[in-house]
Amino acid sequence: RVDYGAEFIMNDGNINNISNFTMAIENYGTTTINENAGEVKSVHTTVANHGTMTIYGGTFICDGLEGVTAHALWTTVGKTTINGGTFNGKDNYNGFNVDAEEGAVVEINGGNFESVHSGSLYGEGTITVKGGTFFDEVAEERLADGYVCKENADGTYGVFLGVAKIKETGAIYGTLAAAVNAATSGNTIVLLADIKENV
């Protein structure tokens, strides 16, 4: 447990919690998990944030308990920023990768959110997505302004800044070149963001 006013920085290594109904990391202070962090694993909630947490890397696995909701990340209040890492709430009962309760704020700029039972993102808290790869489609209301969620060739979904839109179809593209290639005669391409790109 990282108590109020305390700071925890995880630069590398692994954490494996084997106790039921407890968390591998429970943060009330300030926690930073850096790019080279290893595996953080728990049989219930893997990471619980009630303070300020920034995640740049690491693998967060919740093996779950039969009949018990499983979270790779659960947050009740405070701010969580996810810039990278792999999250797997597993395909256990009611499993989620990120569960944000009302009052919590989560910003996702990247990361890999693997297959879980009930969905990558859940809860009434504010979850704003600006990047990352998800096993399921990210709801439009969770996307930051100007960002879109599109299915990848492997069946996952990616979130990226939309820079060009074909007015007639409403399709949004991550590059102007992609929009030009998809446009047909008479289509109008609308730029959604400032770009420097050769077409």
Side-chain angles (χ1 to χ4, degrees):
R1 171 178 162 135
V2 182
D3 216 339
Y4 296 98
E7 182 178 9
F8 171 60
I9 300 173
M10 183 176 180
N11 291 317
D12 56 23
N14 302 308
I15 298 174
N16 186 11
N17 176 40
I18 60 173
S19 298
N20 292 347
F21 301 104
T22 60
M23 297 82 179
I25 299 174
E26 187 172 15
N27 176 62
Y28 291 87
T30 302
T31 290
T32 302
I33 301 175
N34 286 317
E35 280 184 14
N36 294 325
E39 185 176 90
V40 181
K41 190 174 181 180
S42 182
V43 294
H44 189 214
T45 295
T46 304
V47 175
N49 182 37
H50 317 289
T52 301
M53 178 175 284
T54 305
I55 299 172
Y56 295 98
T59 300
F60 305 88
I61 299 173
C62 183
D63 276 341
L65 299 168
E66 186 175 349
V68 177
T69 298
H71 314 87
L73 170 69
W74 171 56
T75 179
T76 58
V77 293
K79 172 78 180 285
T80 307
T81 304
I82 301 172
N83 297 310
T86 298
F87 299 82
N88 192 333
K90 293 282 192 170
D91 274 330
N92 294 300
Y93 173 84
N94 220 18
F96 303 103
N97 283 322
V98 175
D99 184 357
E101 292 192 11
E102 187 174 2
V105 175
V106 179
E107 180 179 297
I108 301 175
N109 300 310
N112 183 27
F113 299 83
E114 297 182 343
S115 178
V116 292
H117 181 272
S118 299
S120 283
L121 310 177
Y122 178 78
E124 296 179 0
T126 302
I127 301 176
T128 305
V129 184
K130 297 180 179 179
T133 302
F134 301 81
F135 87 97
D136 54 352
E137 189 170 7
V138 176
E140 188 173 344
E141 61 267 20
R142 297 203 192 276
L143 296 171
D145 289 346
Y147 285 78
V148 294
C149 180
K150 294 290 185 182
E151 188 172 5
N152 298 317
D154 62 0
T156 63
Y157 291 84
V159 173
F160 59 90
L161 179 64
V163 299
K165 174 180 179 179
I166 297 179
K167 183 178 178 181
E168 289 74 15
T169 65
I172 299 175
Y173 299 88
T175 65
L176 177 57
V180 169
N181 289 337
T184 59
S185 178
N187 282 165
T188 301
I189 296 174
V190 180
L191 288 180
L192 305 175
D194 295 336
I195 59 170
K196 291 181 180 178
E197 184 178 338
N198 295 322
V199 179

